[in-house]
Amino acid sequence: MRQVVVDGEEVVFEGEMPEAPSQIYELLMNALSEQGRVVVGFSVDGSDSFPDDQFPGHYEKIEASSLTHDELTLRLVIESMNQLSETEKHLDAYIKNILSISWSEVFNRMDELVNKVQPFAELIDNIGPYATAYDPPWAEKLNIVSVEQSESLNGMLDAFEQGNPAKLSDDLSVRFLPVFKRSKKLFSEEIIPYLKERVDKA
């Protein structure tokens, strides 16, 4: 007899149980979304089908796990903040080198700079939909930070395109780094405590 278990509890279907795992997945996504939850694990007969959404044609047992949007967002933020723990120090060192080494060397290290700032840009982008959906008290501050970091990143790309080390140094030290520091403060003092409080109350 086929079985669907979500977060350790068996699901009882009204009417006939769908035949295809993909149908089950769609139903769960929709039902959990209405509860402010999201599917984070989905296995069919012991084989993980998540996050690639590669489903077999049939099943005997499906096991799924979910998190609230608050839990998922908190995990994402903490993981990203851990990734960014050394970024400020690396950016400071990069800024010092811009005007003291040849431009060709700076240009060759562009990927290094991109890899340093990308997790920060992704964090801001990833938490944006949560702020839009739930309108937390820090949403406006996040929006301001989002606009400023986007402008500063565009400024840095322009500096690379123009071959202008002085502009790159200025964009990094005067525009990007202050936004980065304010963002870290916003996450540590407002966003993370807010999410933790919501998770603890759930």
Side-chain angles (χ1 to χ4, degrees), residues 91-130:
L91 288 175
D92 276 330
Y94 193 93
I95 289 166
K96 285 174 185 155
N97 283 333
I98 289 172
L99 299 176
S100 61
I101 62 177
S102 69
W103 175 250
S104 61
E105 178 65 20
V106 173
F107 191 81
N108 286 337
R109 291 173 64 185
M110 181 171 72
D111 285 346
E112 182 186 325
L113 176 62
V114 170
N115 289 335
K116 291 280 182 285
V117 301
Q118 191 170 5
F120 170 61
E122 286 175 352
L123 172 60
I124 301 292
D125 287 346
N126 287 336
I127 199 170
Y130 177 93

Coordinates of all heavy atoms in Angstrom, one line a residue, residues 91-130:
L91 N 38.4 42.5 1.7 CA 38.2 43.7 0.9 C 39.1 44.8 1.2 O 39.6 45.5 0.4 CB 36.7 44.1 1.0 CG 35.6 43.3 0.4 CD1 34.3 43.8 0.7 CD2 35.8 43.2 -1.1
D92 N 39.4 44.9 2.5 CA 40.4 46.0 2.9 C 41.8 45.7 2.3 O 42.4 46.7 1.8 CB 40.5 45.9 4.5 CG 39.5 46.7 5.2 OD1 39.0 47.7 4.6 OD2 39.1 46.4 6.3
A93 N 42.2 44.4 2.3 CA 43.5 44.1 1.7 C 43.4 44.3 0.2 O 44.4 44.9 -0.4 CB 43.8 42.6 2.0
Y94 N 42.3 44.0 -0.5 CA 42.2 44.2 -1.9 C 42.3 45.7 -2.2 O 42.9 46.1 -3.2 CB 40.8 43.7 -2.4 CG 40.7 43.5 -3.9 CD1 41.0 42.4 -4.5 CD2 40.2 44.6 -4.6 CE1 40.9 42.2 -5.9 CE2 40.1 44.5 -6.0 CZ 40.4 43.3 -6.6 OH 40.3 43.2 -8.0
I95 N 41.6 46.5 -1.4 CA 41.6 48.0 -1.7 C 43.0 48.6 -1.6 O 43.4 49.4 -2.4 CB 40.6 48.7 -0.7 CG1 39.2 48.4 -1.0 CG2 40.9 50.2 -0.7 CD1 38.2 48.7 0.1
K96 N 43.8 48.1 -0.6 CA 45.1 48.6 -0.4 C 46.0 48.2 -1.6 O 46.9 49.0 -2.0 CB 45.7 48.0 0.8 CG 45.2 48.6 2.1 CD 45.7 47.9 3.4 CE 45.0 48.5 4.6 NZ 44.9 47.6 5.7
N97 N 45.7 47.1 -2.3 CA 46.5 46.6 -3.4 C 46.2 47.3 -4.7 O 47.0 47.4 -5.6 CB 46.3 45.1 -3.6 CG 47.1 44.3 -2.6 OD1 48.1 44.8 -2.1 ND2 46.6 43.1 -2.3
I98 N 44.9 47.8 -4.8 CA 44.5 48.4 -6.1 C 45.4 49.5 -6.6 O 45.8 49.5 -7.8 CB 43.1 49.0 -6.0 CG1 42.0 47.8 -5.8 CG2 42.7 49.8 -7.2 CD1 40.6 48.3 -5.5
L99 N 45.8 50.4 -5.8 CA 46.6 51.5 -6.2 C 48.1 51.2 -6.1 O 49.0 52.1 -6.4 CB 46.3 52.8 -5.4 CG 44.8 53.2 -5.6 CD1 44.5 54.4 -4.7 CD2 44.5 53.5 -7.0
S100 N 48.5 50.1 -5.6 CA 49.9 49.8 -5.4 C 50.5 48.7 -6.4 O 51.7 48.5 -6.5 CB 50.2 49.4 -4.0 OG 49.5 48.2 -3.6
I101 N 49.6 48.0 -7.0 CA 50.1 47.0 -8.0 C 49.6 47.4 -9.4 O 48.7 48.2 -9.5 CB 49.6 45.6 -7.6 CG1 48.1 45.5 -7.6 CG2 50.2 45.1 -6.3 CD1 47.6 44.1 -7.3
S102 N 50.1 46.7 -10.4 CA 49.8 47.1 -11.8 C 48.3 46.8 -12.1 O 47.7 45.9 -11.5 CB 50.6 46.3 -12.8 OG 50.3 44.9 -12.7
W103 N 47.7 47.6 -13.0 CA 46.3 47.4 -13.3 C 46.0 46.0 -13.9 O 45.0 45.4 -13.6 CB 45.8 48.5 -14.3 CG 44.4 48.3 -14.7 CD1 44.0 47.9 -15.9 CD2 43.2 48.3 -13.9 NE1 42.6 47.7 -15.9 CE2 42.1 48.0 -14.7 CE3 43.0 48.7 -12.5 CZ2 40.8 48.0 -14.2 CZ3 41.7 48.6 -12.1 CH2 40.6 48.3 -12.9
S104 N 47.0 45.5 -14.7 CA 46.8 44.2 -15.3 C 46.6 43.1 -14.2 O 45.8 42.2 -14.3 CB 48.0 43.8 -16.2 OG 49.2 43.8 -15.4
E105 N 47.4 43.3 -13.1 CA 47.3 42.4 -12.0 C 45.9 42.5 -11.3 O 45.3 41.5 -10.9 CB 48.4 42.6 -11.0 CG 48.4 41.7 -9.7 CD 48.6 40.3 -10.0 OE1 49.1 39.9 -11.1 OE2 48.2 39.4 -9.2
V106 N 45.5 43.8 -11.1 CA 44.2 44.0 -10.5 C 43.1 43.4 -11.4 O 42.1 42.8 -10.9 CB 43.9 45.6 -10.3 CG1 42.5 45.8 -9.9 CG2 44.9 46.2 -9.4
F107 N 43.2 43.6 -12.7 CA 42.2 43.1 -13.6 C 42.2 41.6 -13.6 O 41.1 41.0 -13.6 CB 42.5 43.6 -15.1 CG 41.4 43.3 -16.0 CD1 40.3 44.2 -16.1 CD2 41.5 42.2 -16.9 CE1 39.3 43.9 -17.0 CE2 40.5 42.0 -17.8 CZ 39.4 42.8 -17.8
N108 N 43.4 41.0 -13.5 CA 43.4 39.5 -13.5 C 42.8 38.9 -12.2 O 42.4 37.8 -12.2 CB 44.9 39.0 -13.5 CG 45.5 39.2 -14.9 OD1 44.7 39.2 -15.9 ND2 46.8 39.3 -15.0
R109 N 42.7 39.8 -11.2 CA 42.1 39.3 -9.9 C 40.7 39.8 -9.8 O 40.1 39.7 -8.7 CB 42.9 39.9 -8.8 CG 44.3 39.2 -8.7 CD 45.2 39.9 -7.6 NE 44.7 39.7 -6.3 CZ 45.3 40.3 -5.2 NH1 46.3 41.0 -5.4 NH2 44.7 40.1 -4.0
M110 N 40.1 40.2 -10.9 CA 38.7 40.6 -10.9 C 37.8 39.5 -10.4 O 36.8 39.7 -9.6 CB 38.2 41.1 -12.3 CG 36.8 41.6 -12.3 SD 36.3 42.4 -13.8 CE 36.2 41.0 -14.9
D111 N 38.0 38.2 -10.9 CA 37.2 37.1 -10.4 C 37.3 36.9 -8.9 O 36.3 36.5 -8.3 CB 37.6 35.8 -11.1 CG 37.2 35.8 -12.6 OD1 36.3 36.6 -13.0 OD2 37.7 35.0 -13.3
E112 N 38.4 37.2 -8.4 CA 38.6 37.0 -6.9 C 37.7 38.0 -6.2 O 37.1 37.6 -5.2 CB 40.1 37.3 -6.6 CG 40.4 37.1 -5.1 CD 41.9 37.6 -4.8 OE1 42.8 37.3 -5.7 OE2 42.1 38.1 -3.8
L113 N 37.7 39.2 -6.7 CA 36.8 40.3 -6.1 C 35.3 39.9 -6.2 O 34.6 40.0 -5.3 CB 37.1 41.6 -6.7 CG 36.2 42.8 -6.3 CD1 36.4 43.0 -4.8 CD2 36.4 44.0 -7.1
V114 N 35.0 39.4 -7.4 CA 33.6 39.0 -7.6 C 33.2 37.9 -6.7 O 32.1 37.9 -6.1 CB 33.4 38.6 -9.1 CG1 32.0 37.9 -9.3 CG2 33.5 39.8 -10.1
N115 N 34.1 36.9 -6.5 CA 33.8 35.8 -5.6 C 33.6 36.3 -4.1 O 32.9 35.6 -3.4 CB 34.9 34.7 -5.7 CG 34.8 34.0 -7.0 OD1 33.8 33.9 -7.6 ND2 36.0 33.5 -7.4
K116 N 34.3 37.4 -3.8 CA 34.2 37.9 -2.4 C 32.9 38.6 -2.2 O 32.3 38.5 -1.1 CB 35.4 38.9 -2.2 CG 36.7 38.2 -2.1 CD 37.0 37.6 -0.8 CE 38.4 37.0 -0.7 NZ 38.6 35.8 -1.4
V117 N 32.4 39.3 -3.2 CA 31.2 40.1 -3.0 C 29.9 39.4 -3.4 O 28.8 39.8 -3.0 CB 31.3 41.5 -3.7 CG1 32.5 42.3 -3.2 CG2 31.3 41.3 -5.2
Q118 N 30.0 38.3 -4.2 CA 28.8 37.6 -4.7 C 28.0 37.1 -3.6 O 26.7 37.2 -3.7 CB 29.3 36.5 -5.7 CG 28.1 36.0 -6.4 CD 28.5 35.0 -7.6 OE1 29.7 34.8 -7.7 NE2 27.6 34.6 -8.3
P119 N 28.5 36.4 -2.6 CA 27.6 35.9 -1.5 C 26.8 37.0 -0.8 O 25.7 36.7 -0.4 CB 28.6 35.2 -0.5 CG 29.8 34.9 -1.3 CD 29.9 36.0 -2.3
F120 N 27.4 38.2 -0.7 CA 26.7 39.3 -0.1 C 25.5 39.7 -1.0 O 24.4 39.9 -0.5 CB 27.7 40.4 0.1 CG 27.0 41.7 0.5 CD1 26.2 41.8 1.7 CD2 27.1 42.9 -0.3 CE1 25.6 43.0 2.1 CE2 26.5 44.1 0.1 CZ 25.8 44.1 1.3
A121 N 25.8 39.9 -2.3 CA 24.8 40.3 -3.2 C 23.6 39.2 -3.3 O 22.4 39.6 -3.3 CB 25.4 40.5 -4.6
E122 N 24.0 37.9 -3.2 CA 23.0 36.9 -3.2 C 22.2 36.8 -2.0 O 21.0 36.6 -2.0 CB 23.7 35.5 -3.4 CG 24.3 35.3 -4.8 CD 25.1 34.0 -5.0 OE1 25.3 33.3 -4.0 OE2 25.4 33.7 -6.1
L123 N 22.8 37.1 -0.8 CA 22.1 37.2 0.4 C 21.0 38.3 0.4 O 19.8 38.0 0.7 CB 23.0 37.4 1.6 CG 22.4 37.7 2.9 CD1 21.5 36.5 3.4 CD2 23.4 38.0 4.0
I124 N 21.4 39.4 -0.1 CA 20.4 40.5 -0.2 C 19.3 40.2 -1.2 O 18.1 40.4 -0.9 CB 21.1 41.8 -0.7 CG1 22.2 42.3 0.2 CG2 20.1 43.0 -0.9 CD1 21.8 42.7 1.6
D125 N 19.6 39.6 -2.3 CA 18.6 39.2 -3.3 C 17.7 38.1 -2.8 O 16.5 38.1 -3.0 CB 19.3 38.6 -4.6 CG 19.9 39.7 -5.4 OD1 19.6 40.9 -5.1 OD2 20.7 39.4 -6.3
N126 N 18.3 37.1 -2.0 CA 17.5 36.0 -1.6 C 16.5 36.3 -0.4 O 15.5 35.7 -0.3 CB 18.4 34.9 -1.1 CG 19.1 34.1 -2.2 OD1 18.6 34.2 -3.3 ND2 20.2 33.5 -1.9
I127 N 16.9 37.3 0.3 CA 16.0 37.7 1.5 C 14.9 38.7 1.0 O 13.9 38.9 1.7 CB 16.8 38.2 2.7 CG1 15.9 38.1 3.9 CG2 17.3 39.6 2.5 CD1 16.6 38.3 5.2
G128 N 15.1 39.3 -0.2 CA 14.2 40.3 -0.7 C 12.7 39.8 -0.8 O 11.8 40.4 -0.3
P129 N 12.5 38.6 -1.4 CA 11.1 38.1 -1.5 C 10.5 37.9 -0.1 O 9.3 38.1 0.1 CB 11.3 36.7 -2.2 CG 12.6 36.9 -3.0 CD 13.4 37.8 -2.1
Y130 N 11.3 37.4 0.9 CA 10.7 37.3 2.3 C 10.2 38.6 2.8 O 9.1 38.7 3.3 CB 11.8 36.7 3.2 CG 11.3 36.5 4.6 CD1 10.7 35.3 5.1 CD2 11.4 37.6 5.5 CE1 10.3 35.2 6.4 CE2 10.9 37.5 6.8 CZ 10.3 36.3 7.2 OH 9.9 36.2 8.5

